[in-house]
Amino acid sequence: MDTETEKLKQARDEFVAQWGALGTQWGINRTMAQIHALLMTAPESLTTDEVMEELEISRGNAHSNIKELVAWGLIRSVVKKGERREFFEAEKDVWQIFTIVARERKRREIDPALAILNRCAEESEGIATPEGKAFHAQMRSLEDFVSFASKMSDRISLMKHGFALQMAAKLLG
Amino acid sequence: MDTETEKLKQARDEFVAQWGALGTQWGINRTMAQIHALLMTAPESLTTDEVMEELEISRGNAHSNIKELVAWGLIRSVVKKGERREFFEAEKDVWQIFTIVARERKRREIDPALAILNRCAEESEGIATPEGKAFHAQMRSLEDFVSFASKMSDRISLMKHGFALQMAAKLLG
DNA sequence: CTGATTTTTCAGTATTTACTGAAAACCGTG
DNA sequence: CACGGTTTTCAGTAAATACTGAAAAATCAG
């Protein structure tokens, strides 16, 4: 193996390892983030066995995290003619990745928060004591804000990359 | 205790419990989120002992999570004349809460990602093989996007609530 | 239908993260 | 500067989360 290929391998390995560590901070498990990094930087689609070997993880672990990534839409399975096993490749478009992650986070973080706030606001609706009114007002203001953030997130995700960028340029400029 | 006060207590307890559960999804530990919820909806500032009692947690746990919340800026300690112990109260302004959480997430999630991407982009700078070029390009495009997101986040956090809202209204309209 | 290959499941185990409780350090007051 | 109240630390333990490996189920070619 020549020096250049060696250097690339090193850089890629580092990326996979570090991206995995970062995943933890993002509330994504290490392995899932590593597989994602591996596939994002793979020239060709990979099989489960290749993923297992590359990351030195068990079949069960590889399998479940691959499934999870497919469920998210961050990777997809591809069929190769004459091949019985599944191959996987990653979505590489950054805007696409961003919208997928945003959608997933909204589902896990924003939507449940909204549900709680709405319920607590309802439950405290008619309470006439000063404390009751204060609590209700607080729930409503949180609800309003989170609901607003939720709508914004949806709206931005639906944009085309170019349009969002343009929008943002105005905001930054 | 009359019915109204009882109902309020129930609603508030539910909020604290649920917000705690939600915290987990947000990568914040349960107790920290519960203490935050408790203080956000407290009519008066509370002592460590009151937090311990209300949430039925140990002193050590209460202490360290209160400290963490203070470090984030989501709660602050207040001194009461004639009182030796510390009291704590929560930041209640939603925009303020939002910017604090955004800042913290940026620190934990965006900044490290940028560091990794930058490093891997540098390391793969001069590699002339097609794979090397592809890898480098991928790192750069991820870096560009994350760096852009980082700047956006900063910019929005610096806005006044009203201005951000106005901006967003245009976007949503 | 059979046998080989591939995928899926899951009980058991390991690792990571959070919490307890008690002891130590700190701090203001008399 | 000694004492009681208060805060801080941290070793040990509990709980949550992730991973392994082997067995079961599914899939497919002949």
Side-chain angles (χ1 to χ4, degrees):
Chain A
M1 196 185 286
D2 63 52
T3 327
E4 294 229 309
T5 311
E6 188 58 44
K7 266 176 72 183
L8 174 60
K9 183 168 169 21
Q10 247 185 327
R12 189 161 164 235
D13 282 354
E14 186 188 345
F15 176 63
V16 170
Q18 300 272 47
W19 203 250
L22 190 65
T24 314
Q25 303 290 349
W26 281 70
I28 287 163
N29 81 50
R30 182 188 313 279
T31 306
M32 184 168 159
Q34 279 180 339
I35 296 177
H36 183 226
L38 186 70
L39 288 172
M40 271 204 303
T41 56
E44 298 291 341
S45 57
L46 303 180
T47 62
T48 301
D49 286 82
E50 286 168 326
V51 170
M52 284 167 63
E53 183 168 357
E54 190 72 40
L55 303 178
E56 303 183 40
I57 58 175
S58 73
R59 182 170 305 282
N61 193 12
H63 175 75
S64 58
N65 283 296
I66 286 174
K67 276 285 122 96
E68 189 71 6
L69 283 164
V70 170
W72 280 44
L74 284 172
I75 69 176
R76 56 186 152 264
S77 103
V78 294
V79 282
K80 289 202 179 181
K81 52 184 176 185
E83 274 287 2
R84 201 163 142 188
R85 1 175 233 171
E86 280 189 294
F87 286 74
F88 299 94
E89 70 178 14
E91 169 61 60
K92 295 193 178 182
D93 179 78
V94 283
W95 181 253
Q96 202 54 23
I97 294 170
F98 169 78
T99 60
I100 289 170
V101 173
R103 163 160 52 72
E104 205 59 30
R105 287 201 138 189
K106 177 172 175 296
R107 197 176 65 71
R108 294 201 301 171
E109 299 175 359
I110 308 289
D111 295 346
L114 257 184
I116 293 165
L117 293 167
N118 193 268
R119 209 150 108 69
C120 291
E122 299 280 304
E123 279 176 17
S124 60
E125 179 74 60
I127 306 178
T129 59
E131 291 83 15
K133 281 179 180 295
F135 179 82
H136 181 70
Q138 175 113 39
M139 291 301 103
R140 282 283 181 234
S141 77
L142 281 166
E143 188 191 359
D144 288 348
F145 186 84
V146 174
S147 151
F148 164 74
S150 170
K151 289 191 190 103
M152 284 289 285
S153 164
D154 285 343
R155 183 59 73 103
I156 290 168
S157 287
L158 284 173
M159 288 177 184
K160 287 276 169 293
H161 187 175
F163 184 62
L165 214 81
Q166 209 178 352
M167 200 83 231
K170 246 185 225 167
L171 211 61
L172 287 173
Chain B
M1 196 186 285
D2 63 53
T3 327
E4 294 231 307
T5 311
E6 188 59 42
K7 266 176 70 184
L8 175 59
K9 184 170 168 18
Q10 247 185 327
R12 190 162 164 234
D13 282 355
E14 187 189 343
F15 176 64
V16 170
Q18 300 273 47
W19 204 250
L22 190 66
T24 315
Q25 302 292 350
W26 281 69
I28 286 162
N29 82 49
R30 183 190 310 279
T31 306
M32 186 168 156
Q34 282 182 335
I35 296 176
H36 184 225
L38 187 70
L39 287 173
M40 270 204 302
T41 56
E44 299 290 341
S45 57
L46 303 179
T47 62
T48 301
D49 286 83
E50 286 167 324
V51 170
M52 284 167 62
E53 182 168 358
E54 190 73 38
L55 303 179
E56 303 184 38
I57 58 175
S58 73
R59 181 171 305 284
N61 193 12
H63 175 76
S64 57
N65 283 295
I66 286 174
K67 276 285 122 94
E68 189 70 6
L69 283 164
V70 170
W72 280 45
L74 284 172
I75 69 176
R76 56 186 150 264
S77 105
V78 294
V79 282
K80 289 201 179 182
K81 55 184 175 183
E83 275 286 3
R84 210 164 133 184
R85 10 181 220 166
E86 279 191 293
F87 287 73
F88 299 94
E89 69 179 14
E91 170 61 59
K92 296 195 179 183
D93 180 77
V94 282
W95 181 253
Q96 203 52 21
I97 294 170
F98 169 77
T99 59
I100 288 169
V101 173
R103 164 161 49 73
E104 205 59 29
R105 287 201 140 189
K106 178 172 176 296
R107 198 175 63 74
R108 294 202 299 171
E109 299 175 1
I110 307 290
D111 295 347
L114 257 185
I116 293 165
L117 292 168
N118 193 269
R119 210 150 105 71
C120 291
E122 299 280 305
E123 280 175 16
S124 61
E125 180 74 60
I127 305 179
T129 60
E131 293 81 16
K133 281 179 180 295
F135 180 82
H136 181 71
Q138 175 113 40
M139 291 300 104
R140 281 284 182 235
S141 77
L142 281 167
E143 187 190 359
D144 287 348
F145 186 83
V146 175
S147 151
F148 164 73
S150 170
K151 288 191 191 103
M152 285 287 286
S153 162
D154 284 345
R155 184 57 74 104
I156 292 169
S157 287
L158 283 173
M159 289 178 184
K160 286 278 169 293
H161 186 177
F163 185 63
L165 215 80
Q166 210 178 351
M167 203 80 232
K170 247 184 226 169
L171 212 58
L172 289 173

